[in-house]
Amino acid sequence: MLDKTLIDKFIQVVGPRYGLEAGDDQAPFLSEWRDKYVGKTDLVLLPGSTQEVAALVKIANETGTGIVPQGGNTGLVGGQLPDQSGSQILLSLKRLNKKRLISRLSNSMVVEAGVTLHEAQSYADAHDRLFPLSLASEGSCQIGGNISTNAGGIQVLKYGMMRDLVLGLEVVLPSGEIWDGLSDLRKDNTGYDLKSLFMGAEGTLGIVTAASLKLFPLPVERRVAFVGCESLEAVGAFFEHASARAGGALCAFEILCARGLEFSLDFMKGQTPSFKAPLETRWPWYGLIELEAYQEGWAGPLLEGLLESALEQGLIGDGVVATSEAQRLALWALRESLSGAQKPQGGSIKHD
């Protein structure tokens, strides 16, 4: 249990509205999506600025109080929740949701940690730019959490992990000091790369409050195909074939096993009864491939050509190409619903 005087000191920083002590108010922050892990705390804090985060961390440092930072609470391993001791406070970054600036010239934007991934994508899109990180939880996961867990996503083949998309960071250090490293330079050979220390560190070295992120030109065309393969080795051979034929146009390649696809299909049919499997024949393994291009009418023929040659070589047994944006999204939904499909199946080897 935390001392009431200490609780009041924390609340004084954020104001009574954003210092949550009641169980009902705290509940959304203390249980992860699968309800597998539940945390316990006397206090959930929602700071509204970097300066407030710094003030809270300074108090915690001076009093030896444990802090658990939380982003969108989309993690599935419980790392965003306090333990059952009740000795830690939970610090949610959801109110740090400002989009500070965007530069088409430097292909970068600065957003705060509580901006959701979808909001960041939309912010870039509105300025004819692409922020390529893409996750199934993008509607609720937050940039700070993406950075702190070094998220990968579905376009890691072309654009890399979150670590590769960060130009600079603003971080509150354990002492309560603010480190301003919000550079937008692509070419910078000076000194230590301090920002890398905080990416993938899950809040153990400091709390990310804002980030300068890389942007890219918006592709004008995307084409997706879903294929069936006889073996995992065949999927690998098809990936090698696709990489050689498509080069930089290959932006995503996902592998699904038969059981995982069945879980996903059941889940999708529960939401949309008319939803059908993309291939009539059941295959042991499946591949989901996406190409993108900056010239209209280029990705489609390239994808069809590499599928034809892969079929001739026996790398794939069957395949379907999305002919509309709705079909493209439907094929991706099979992959992105794997986490949701897993929950009603109970404990198992995960197919995500």
Side-chain angles (χ1 to χ4, degrees), residues 27-298:
F29 301 91
L30 296 180
S31 179
E32 52 89 38
W33 178 76
R34 292 179 303 169
D35 299 319
K36 185 176 178 64
Y37 302 104
V38 178
K40 180 181 178 181
T41 183
D42 288 331
L43 186 60
V44 173
L45 293 165
L46 290 84
S49 68
T50 299
Q51 290 69 31
E52 287 187 2
V53 174
L56 294 171
V57 172
K58 185 175 182 180
I59 294 171
N61 182 48
E62 292 172 348
T63 59
T65 306
I67 292 181
V68 178
Q70 185 181 98
N73 194 17
T74 61
L76 299 180
V77 295
Q80 75 276 28
L81 303 176
D83 61 27
Q84 287 292 314
S85 70
S87 62
Q88 304 156 333
I89 60 171
L90 189 148
L91 194 151
S92 169
L93 280 300
K94 67 181 298 182
R95 290 184 61 223
L96 271 70
N97 58 6
K98 295 182 180 65
K99 296 175 279 289
R100 295 185 184 177
L101 63 90
I102 192 165
S103 171
R104 289 161 53 96
L105 180 62
S106 65
N107 276 323
S108 66
M109 65 180 177
V110 176
V111 298
E112 293 185 343
V115 171
T116 68
L117 177 53
H118 178 69
E119 290 170 341
Q121 294 167 341
S122 299
Y123 184 47
D125 186 74
H127 293 81
D128 295 320
R129 290 296 183 267
L130 170 72
F131 182 61
L133 185 69
S134 181
L135 311 171
S137 60
E138 61 195 29
S140 50
C141 69
Q142 297 172 7
I143 291 298
N146 297 151
I147 292 169
S148 295
T149 58
N150 190 27
I154 60 176
Q155 299 197 87
V156 69
L157 290 176
K158 182 171 183 178
Y159 297 102
M161 304 286 286
M162 187 66 180
R163 185 186 302 276
D164 301 299
L165 299 173
V166 175
L167 291 167
L169 293 177
E170 177 186 85
V171 182
V172 173
L173 304 177
S175 61
E177 298 171 277
I178 300 172
W179 177 65
D180 184 355
L182 285 175
S183 169
D184 65 354
L185 292 178
R186 301 271 180 145
K187 184 178 182 180
D188 185 355
N189 64 353
T190 58
Y192 301 105
D193 185 20
L194 294 178
K195 69 180 185 299
S196 290
L197 291 172
F198 304 100
M199 292 186 280
E202 301 197 25
T204 57
L205 300 179
I207 299 176
V208 174
T209 53
S212 176
L213 304 174
K214 293 180 184 178
L215 301 179
F216 300 84
L218 268 177
V220 298
E221 184 181 34
R222 292 182 182 273
R223 290 293 182 269
V224 173
F226 191 86
V227 303
C229 298
E230 288 284 4
S231 66
L232 185 58
E233 290 74 20
V235 182
F238 174 57
F239 168 67
E240 187 177 359
H241 175 78
S243 299
R245 290 288 297 266
L250 177 62
C251 63
F253 191 102
E254 298 283 315
I255 299 173
L256 296 85
C257 67
R259 179 62 62 85
L261 179 64
E262 289 163 3
F263 285 170
S264 193
L265 283 170
D266 288 343
F267 182 76
M268 295 295 294
K269 289 177 181 177
Q271 297 181 323
T272 309
S274 60
F275 193 89
K276 296 181 180 180
L279 301 177
E280 292 184 3
T281 303
R282 184 186 189 275
W283 295 88
W285 294 91
Y286 300 90
L288 180 62
I289 178 174
E290 179 164 292
L291 306 187
E292 64 181 19
Y294 297 95
Q295 183 176 339
E296 195 70 46
W298 189 80

